[in-house]
Amino acid sequence: VLVAAAADRAHTDARLRLRTTTPRVRSRNRRLAAVVSGVTLVGVTATMAVAAQSALPGEGLYPLKRGLENAHAELTFDRAARGRLLLADAATRLDEATALSREDTAGSSRVGDTLDAFSQQAMAGADLLVSDYQATGDQSSITSVRSFTSTSMARLHELQSLVPTSADDQLLQAAQALDQVQQVSVHACPTCAGPSLTSVPRVLTDAVQAAADSWLVAQPTPRGGTHQGGHTGLFGTPDSNAPPPPVIL
């Protein structure tokens, strides 16, 4: 009887021990699985983020690339730092427009859309930096704007031979945006350091000349048949005391 009772007690103890240890093992396995899954997810996300950096408009990872850019900008609370970040993103748009233009199969609409995005980001970033200068007096903000406009205008000058003709309007608008940004920066701080615009896309000079020619044609010819009017544009000097023609930017 005692042997039977002892055997029954041992069997009962074994079942009790099994009941108390099994949940612990399962809980530990679940925690381990969660950790492994989390590490894997972070690794996959990081890998996709790195791969997205080289994505071009129209490719699968490009929305992720732009989403990461936007998130970075939203989390940058310093006005000047955000402005510089937007200008850096705008420069990336020029990289993309160049790469798309060099592809034989590149759709012209993608080039045009990318140049439009460049113009928007360039204007937004410059606006933040000019506002920062006006609020703080930090001349480095204006210098950053002028360095960006000078470098970007030179890049547009090089890009004009690559972009499809259907994107010429967007190229012109991008050049006009840069010229406007440069004028605003000079007006805000005439004495601030920074390079001036040198290399200018042909589409911009042609547009300026066309506007000037249209203004001259519209002027009345003075008595005697000699037109006394003159004009001045973004890149010319006045040749008379007549008021300059409007240049629409």
Side-chain angles (χ1 to χ4, degrees), residues 116-138:
D116 281 340
F118 163 80
S119 299
Q120 295 169 6
Q121 291 179 316
M123 296 285 282
D127 181 67
L128 287 171
L129 286 166
V130 171
S131 297
D132 179 74
Y133 165 74
Q134 293 172 336
T136 66
D138 185 357

mmCIF file of all heavy atoms in Angstrom, residues 116-138:
data_model
loop_
_atom_site.group_PDB
_atom_site.id
_atom_site.type_symbol
_atom_site.label_atom_id
_atom_site.label_comp_id
_atom_site.label_asym_id
_atom_site.label_seq_id
_atom_site.Cartn_x
_atom_site.Cartn_y
_atom_site.Cartn_z
ATOM 1 N N ASP A 116 9.743 69.649 -62.199
ATOM 2 C CA ASP A 116 8.737 70.395 -61.422
ATOM 3 C C ASP A 116 8.976 70.222 -59.918
ATOM 4 O O ASP A 116 8.877 71.185 -59.149
ATOM 5 C CB ASP A 116 7.328 69.902 -61.772
ATOM 6 C CG ASP A 116 6.823 70.475 -63.084
ATOM 7 O OD1 ASP A 116 7.357 71.515 -63.529
ATOM 8 O OD2 ASP A 116 5.895 69.883 -63.673
ATOM 9 N N ALA A 117 9.287 68.993 -59.507
ATOM 10 C CA ALA A 117 9.573 68.736 -58.095
ATOM 11 C C ALA A 117 10.810 69.508 -57.657
ATOM 12 O O ALA A 117 10.867 70.032 -56.530
ATOM 13 C CB ALA A 117 9.758 67.237 -57.856
ATOM 14 N N PHE A 118 11.797 69.594 -58.534
ATOM 15 C CA PHE A 118 12.994 70.383 -58.226
ATOM 16 C C PHE A 118 12.622 71.833 -57.957
ATOM 17 O O PHE A 118 13.075 72.434 -56.966
ATOM 18 C CB PHE A 118 13.983 70.312 -59.386
ATOM 19 C CG PHE A 118 15.029 71.392 -59.346
ATOM 20 C CD1 PHE A 118 16.136 71.285 -58.514
ATOM 21 C CD2 PHE A 118 14.893 72.539 -60.124
ATOM 22 C CE1 PHE A 118 17.091 72.304 -58.451
ATOM 23 C CE2 PHE A 118 15.842 73.548 -60.070
ATOM 24 C CZ PHE A 118 16.936 73.434 -59.237
ATOM 25 N N SER A 119 11.822 72.417 -58.824
ATOM 26 C CA SER A 119 11.445 73.827 -58.666
ATOM 27 C C SER A 119 10.723 74.055 -57.341
ATOM 28 O O SER A 119 11.000 75.023 -56.623
ATOM 29 C CB SER A 119 10.555 74.266 -59.830
ATOM 30 O OG SER A 119 11.230 74.145 -61.061
ATOM 31 N N GLN A 120 9.813 73.161 -57.003
ATOM 32 C CA GLN A 120 9.048 73.308 -55.765
ATOM 33 C C GLN A 120 9.952 73.232 -54.542
ATOM 34 O O GLN A 120 9.848 74.057 -53.622
ATOM 35 C CB GLN A 120 7.963 72.235 -55.701
ATOM 36 C CG GLN A 120 6.896 72.379 -56.778
ATOM 37 C CD GLN A 120 5.978 71.175 -56.864
ATOM 38 O OE1 GLN A 120 6.060 70.251 -56.045
ATOM 39 N NE2 GLN A 120 5.107 71.151 -57.862
ATOM 40 N N GLN A 121 10.849 72.253 -54.520
ATOM 41 C CA GLN A 121 11.723 72.095 -53.361
ATOM 42 C C GLN A 121 12.747 73.218 -53.287
ATOM 43 O O GLN A 121 13.098 73.669 -52.193
ATOM 44 C CB GLN A 121 12.411 70.739 -53.405
ATOM 45 C CG GLN A 121 11.462 69.572 -53.180
ATOM 46 C CD GLN A 121 12.161 68.226 -53.242
ATOM 47 O OE1 GLN A 121 12.984 67.973 -54.114
ATOM 48 N NE2 GLN A 121 11.818 67.331 -52.318
ATOM 49 N N ALA A 122 13.219 73.689 -54.434
ATOM 50 C CA ALA A 122 14.178 74.795 -54.439
ATOM 51 C C ALA A 122 13.544 76.055 -53.869
ATOM 52 O O ALA A 122 14.147 76.764 -53.044
ATOM 53 C CB ALA A 122 14.683 75.045 -55.858
ATOM 54 N N MET A 123 12.326 76.349 -54.286
ATOM 55 C CA MET A 123 11.636 77.540 -53.801
ATOM 56 C C MET A 123 11.340 77.422 -52.306
ATOM 57 O O MET A 123 11.526 78.374 -51.542
ATOM 58 C CB MET A 123 10.344 77.744 -54.576
ATOM 59 C CG MET A 123 10.542 78.028 -56.059
ATOM 60 S SD MET A 123 11.112 79.704 -56.386
ATOM 61 C CE MET A 123 9.591 80.618 -56.190
ATOM 62 N N ALA A 124 10.889 76.236 -51.882
ATOM 63 C CA ALA A 124 10.543 76.046 -50.473
ATOM 64 C C ALA A 124 11.774 76.146 -49.581
ATOM 65 O O ALA A 124 11.748 76.788 -48.526
ATOM 66 C CB ALA A 124 9.863 74.687 -50.287
ATOM 67 N N GLY A 125 12.867 75.514 -49.985
ATOM 68 C CA GLY A 125 14.085 75.570 -49.181
ATOM 69 C C GLY A 125 14.665 76.964 -49.116
ATOM 70 O O GLY A 125 15.085 77.433 -48.048
ATOM 71 N N ALA A 126 14.681 77.676 -50.251
ATOM 72 C CA ALA A 126 15.201 79.039 -50.266
ATOM 73 C C ALA A 126 14.342 79.966 -49.413
ATOM 74 O O ALA A 126 14.865 80.841 -48.717
ATOM 75 C CB ALA A 126 15.267 79.546 -51.702
ATOM 76 N N ASP A 127 13.037 79.766 -49.453
ATOM 77 C CA ASP A 127 12.140 80.601 -48.651
ATOM 78 C C ASP A 127 12.445 80.451 -47.160
ATOM 79 O O ASP A 127 12.472 81.434 -46.415
ATOM 80 C CB ASP A 127 10.686 80.218 -48.940
ATOM 81 C CG ASP A 127 9.705 81.063 -48.151
ATOM 82 O OD1 ASP A 127 9.607 82.275 -48.414
ATOM 83 O OD2 ASP A 127 9.032 80.512 -47.262
ATOM 84 N N LEU A 128 12.702 79.229 -46.726
ATOM 85 C CA LEU A 128 13.025 79.005 -45.318
ATOM 86 C C LEU A 128 14.342 79.673 -44.941
ATOM 87 O O LEU A 128 14.467 80.268 -43.865
ATOM 88 C CB LEU A 128 13.099 77.506 -45.032
ATOM 89 C CG LEU A 128 11.769 76.747 -44.992
ATOM 90 C CD1 LEU A 128 12.008 75.247 -44.909
ATOM 91 C CD2 LEU A 128 10.926 77.212 -43.809
ATOM 92 N N LEU A 129 15.326 79.603 -45.815
ATOM 93 C CA LEU A 129 16.635 80.177 -45.501
ATOM 94 C C LEU A 129 16.594 81.705 -45.516
ATOM 95 O O LEU A 129 17.228 82.352 -44.674
ATOM 96 C CB LEU A 129 17.681 79.660 -46.488
ATOM 97 C CG LEU A 129 18.106 78.204 -46.248
ATOM 98 C CD1 LEU A 129 18.874 77.651 -47.439
ATOM 99 C CD2 LEU A 129 18.946 78.090 -44.981
ATOM 100 N N VAL A 130 15.872 82.289 -46.462
ATOM 101 C CA VAL A 130 15.740 83.747 -46.470
ATOM 102 C C VAL A 130 14.980 84.213 -45.229
ATOM 103 O O VAL A 130 15.351 85.210 -44.590
ATOM 104 C CB VAL A 130 15.035 84.219 -47.758
ATOM 105 C CG1 VAL A 130 14.705 85.711 -47.679
ATOM 106 C CG2 VAL A 130 15.909 83.953 -48.974
ATOM 107 N N SER A 131 13.952 83.477 -44.862
ATOM 108 C CA SER A 131 13.203 83.813 -43.642
ATOM 109 C C SER A 131 14.092 83.693 -42.411
ATOM 110 O O SER A 131 13.995 84.502 -41.481
ATOM 111 C CB SER A 131 11.982 82.894 -43.507
ATOM 112 O OG SER A 131 11.080 83.090 -44.574
ATOM 113 N N ASP A 132 14.960 82.689 -42.400
ATOM 114 C CA ASP A 132 15.881 82.534 -41.272
ATOM 115 C C ASP A 132 16.832 83.723 -41.184
ATOM 116 O O ASP A 132 17.095 84.223 -40.085
ATOM 117 C CB ASP A 132 16.672 81.232 -41.429
ATOM 118 C CG ASP A 132 17.669 81.023 -40.307
ATOM 119 O OD1 ASP A 132 17.237 80.697 -39.178
ATOM 120 O OD2 ASP A 132 18.882 81.206 -40.538
ATOM 121 N N TYR A 133 17.340 84.176 -42.329
ATOM 122 C CA TYR A 133 18.223 85.353 -42.307
ATOM 123 C C TYR A 133 17.481 86.577 -41.792
ATOM 124 O O TYR A 133 18.017 87.340 -40.972
ATOM 125 C CB TYR A 133 18.766 85.629 -43.704
ATOM 126 C CG TYR A 133 19.381 87.003 -43.820
ATOM 127 C CD1 TYR A 133 20.615 87.291 -43.244
ATOM 128 C CD2 TYR A 133 18.689 88.032 -44.467
ATOM 129 C CE1 TYR A 133 21.153 88.566 -43.314
ATOM 130 C CE2 TYR A 133 19.226 89.302 -44.541
ATOM 131 C CZ TYR A 133 20.454 89.568 -43.959
ATOM 132 O OH TYR A 133 20.977 90.836 -44.022
ATOM 133 N N GLN A 134 16.258 86.769 -42.254
ATOM 134 C CA GLN A 134 15.489 87.930 -41.820
ATOM 135 C C GLN A 134 15.181 87.880 -40.326
ATOM 136 O O GLN A 134 15.083 88.922 -39.671
ATOM 137 C CB GLN A 134 14.190 88.017 -42.625
ATOM 138 C CG GLN A 134 14.422 88.333 -44.101
ATOM 139 C CD GLN A 134 13.159 88.230 -44.935
ATOM 140 O OE1 GLN A 134 12.212 87.531 -44.576
ATOM 141 N NE2 GLN A 134 13.127 88.934 -46.060
ATOM 142 N N ALA A 135 15.055 86.669 -39.782
ATOM 143 C CA ALA A 135 14.725 86.537 -38.359
ATOM 144 C C ALA A 135 15.962 86.567 -37.469
ATOM 145 O O ALA A 135 15.910 87.069 -36.341
ATOM 146 C CB ALA A 135 13.960 85.236 -38.129
ATOM 147 N N THR A 136 17.080 86.047 -37.965
ATOM 148 C CA THR A 136 18.260 85.901 -37.105
ATOM 149 C C THR A 136 19.448 86.751 -37.544
ATOM 150 O O THR A 136 20.361 86.972 -36.755
ATOM 151 C CB THR A 136 18.708 84.429 -37.070
ATOM 152 O OG1 THR A 136 19.171 84.049 -38.381
ATOM 153 C CG2 THR A 136 17.564 83.513 -36.652
ATOM 154 N N GLY A 137 19.450 87.187 -38.796
ATOM 155 C CA GLY A 137 20.598 87.923 -39.300
ATOM 156 C C GLY A 137 21.781 87.043 -39.665
ATOM 157 O O GLY A 137 22.872 87.555 -39.949
ATOM 158 N N ASP A 138 21.584 85.757 -39.694
ATOM 159 C CA ASP A 138 22.666 84.825 -40.025
ATOM 160 C C ASP A 138 22.900 84.841 -41.533
ATOM 161 O O ASP A 138 22.109 84.301 -42.314
ATOM 162 C CB ASP A 138 22.297 83.418 -39.552
ATOM 163 C CG ASP A 138 23.439 82.419 -39.746
ATOM 164 O OD1 ASP A 138 24.486 82.806 -40.304
ATOM 165 O OD2 ASP A 138 23.266 81.251 -39.333
#
